[in-house]
Amino acid sequence: MRDGTRVIHAGLPTPAQGAAFLPGPTFAGAYHAAGDPVTAPFTYGRFHNPTWERYEQALSELEGGPAVVFASGMAAVTAIFGTVLRPGDIVVLPSDSYYTIRLLADGYFTEMGIRVKKVPTVGNGQLQQLAGAKLLWLESPSNPGLDVCDIAALVAAAHDAGVLVAVDNTTATVLGQRPLALGADFSLASDTKALTGHADLILGHVAVREQAWADRLRTWRTQTGAVPGPMEVWLAHRSLATLELRLERQCQNALAIAKFLQTRPEVQQVRYPGLPDDPAHAVAARQMQRFGSVLNFTLADRSSAERFLAASQLLYEATSFGGLYTTAERRARWGGDAIPDSFIRFNAGCENVEDVLADLAQALNSKR
Ligand code: PLP
């Protein structure tokens, strides 16, 4: 089956007479569970929920391994760190990964005795740091720089050295790249982004190759309470059905916008892995099925970037990315990333691209 069909049917129950295709969310703190609790399919809302199970089933079908849903992308990241890493262990992170992941590793996990090594994504630099490590963490394309590493090559070297591999697949989504098929042990994402795509919820998940890791992650979720609300999970499952439709439009828009920006004298550097002349394109084209909705570019200086954002009539100036709204932000306003002050992280949404290009042209022309 093709991707568009798979996402529409993923995780849905066998059709039953008079039943909804996707049953509504189950709101339950406690379930009726008389007598011996093992006889009740559901007992308490922190342990399990049928709405989670249907969404996890959908993700498992798409990812190619058991999946566990979490309250946020960061809850999913913390669950992997917490279940895999023990005092004295080494984790090798991309130095250009999503910055809160680096804050978490450098803060709490370092205090708990974990050693953190950081290497840039570009050029597969992490290969040099595998000796003695417990976990290799990849983020490709990286956020916000959009560098790409060769996931299969890094996984092979890591496994030879006895190192587990996790891939943060947030930017690509499972229809853009299949980390488990490339050999990774963990594929995780912030489902807040393109996977659900409507900028209306916070959610995350981890998919794994081995059931034993799914069991440990589920125990972590139950004991730490990193549980998602049923409404968010139901909305996520409903939104997943349009993932292929949304991504088709977003990837087309992203490429057209990147090409347009390359023609503009105000724009200094454009990065999008789908651009044939992008430094990441060759590796991306080998391992990705779609290049995603995120691109970035730099303008002359901070005030040009601020003027551009203020002049746009169509863009939401917003952090986060992946949704069907075209958004952009001057990323350095947050700090934490090695990027110029005028760096714009841009998410191509689902609008008609002619309207977006017209708006970008007038915003770049704006002198005020
Ligand atoms: N990983 C990446 C690459 C992200 O961009 C983000 C959020 O921006 C996260 C993880 C964390 O996800 P969440 O905000 O859903 O906790």
Side-chain angles (χ1 to χ4, degrees):
M1 265 196 293
R2 292 172 176 78
D3 287 348
T5 315
R6 292 166 66 230
V7 289
I8 287 173
H9 290 274
L12 298 188
T14 310
Q17 192 74 344
F21 305 163
L22 173 64
T26 299
F27 297 109
Y31 304 83
H32 179 70
D36 185 346
V38 298
T39 62
F42 297 99
T43 56
Y44 186 59
R46 181 161 41 77
F47 303 165
H48 33 214
N49 180 297
T51 309
W52 303 349
E53 291 183 1
R54 275 189 289 272
Y55 182 60
E56 288 174 343
Q57 174 61 32
L59 294 173
S60 303
E61 291 169 20
L62 300 171
E63 294 268 10
V68 184
V69 63
F70 287 92
S72 67
M74 283 312 300
V77 172
T78 310
I80 299 177
F81 283 0
T83 50
V84 172
L85 299 172
R86 293 293 172 268
D89 285 347
I90 297 173
V91 56
V92 183
L93 288 185
S95 54
D96 46 351
S97 72
Y98 173 55
Y99 81 127
T100 307
I101 298 174
R102 285 179 276 129
L103 290 180
L104 178 69
D106 288 342
Y108 177 79
F109 281 94
T110 300
E111 284 165 22
M112 289 293 120
I114 311 300
R115 287 177 56 203
V116 181
K117 295 186 176 176
K118 292 197 260 343
V119 195
T121 297
V122 69
N124 302 325
Q126 287 167 296
L127 280 174
Q128 314 310 324
Q129 297 292 334
L130 292 176
K134 180 71 180 287
L135 178 65
L136 170 65
W137 192 269
L138 306 177
E139 188 180 305
S140 181
S142 60
N143 167 28
L146 300 177
D147 278 318
V148 162
C149 60
D150 184 335
I151 296 175
L154 279 150
V155 167
H159 286 174
D160 280 352
V163 182
L164 291 163
V165 183
V167 177
D168 186 334
N169 205 29
T170 299
T171 312
T173 81
V174 64
L175 290 196
Q177 179 169 271
R178 302 268 308 278
L180 299 185
L182 294 167
D185 302 283
F186 304 91
S187 168
L188 74 131
S190 165
D191 298 356
T192 312
K193 311 291 187 312
L195 196 79
T196 62
H198 289 67
D200 56 3
L201 57 84
I202 299 284
L203 205 67
H205 81 269
V206 184
V208 295
R209 284 162 70 82
E210 286 179 19
Q211 181 61 44
W213 282 114
D215 298 341
R216 282 178 214 142
L217 289 165
R218 203 160 271 125
T219 300
W220 174 275
R221 180 181 69 186
T222 303
Q223 294 179 355
T224 63
V227 291
M231 188 69 201
E232 278 79 359
V233 177
W234 183 82
L235 277 172
H237 200 161
R238 189 180 73 158
S239 301
L240 187 63
T242 54
L243 178 61
E244 192 257 3
L245 275 172
R246 288 184 277 111
L247 277 184
E248 281 302 306
R249 173 65 77 91
Q250 288 178 272
C251 295
Q252 277 173 21
N253 284 8
L255 185 60
I257 292 163
K259 286 184 171 166
F260 164 77
L261 291 169
Q262 283 185 319
T263 68
R264 293 292 304 213
E266 304 86 347
V267 178
Q268 295 184 343
Q269 196 194 16
V270 184
R271 291 294 308 270
Y272 180 61
L275 278 173
D277 56 350
D278 190 274
H281 183 71
V283 180
R286 275 208 307 276
Q287 69 190 13
M288 298 182 78
Q289 288 76 50
R290 295 176 176 81
F291 299 111
S293 63
V294 186
L295 55 124
N296 68 55
F297 57 97
T298 49
L299 294 170
D301 50 28
R302 176 179 171 159
S303 60
S304 317
E306 287 173 343
R307 201 166 52 238
F308 161 76
L309 291 169
S312 164
Q313 315 264 305
L314 201 56
L315 297 178
Y316 282 94
E317 184 176 343
T319 197
S320 198
F321 53 86
L324 48 80
Y325 308 93
T326 297
T327 62
E329 72 168 334
R330 196 178 65 77
R331 186 66 192 162
R333 67 187 172 142
W334 297 98
D337 293 310
I339 46 167
D341 253 2
S342 62
F343 179 104
I344 304 278
R345 184 178 68 186
F346 191 99
N347 173 65
C350 292
E351 296 92 339
N352 293 109
V353 76
E354 298 80 358
D355 295 329
V356 180
L357 294 180
D359 182 57
L360 293 180
Q362 71 76 24
L364 288 169
N365 288 341
S366 167
K367 298 286 175 256
R368 286 187 296 126

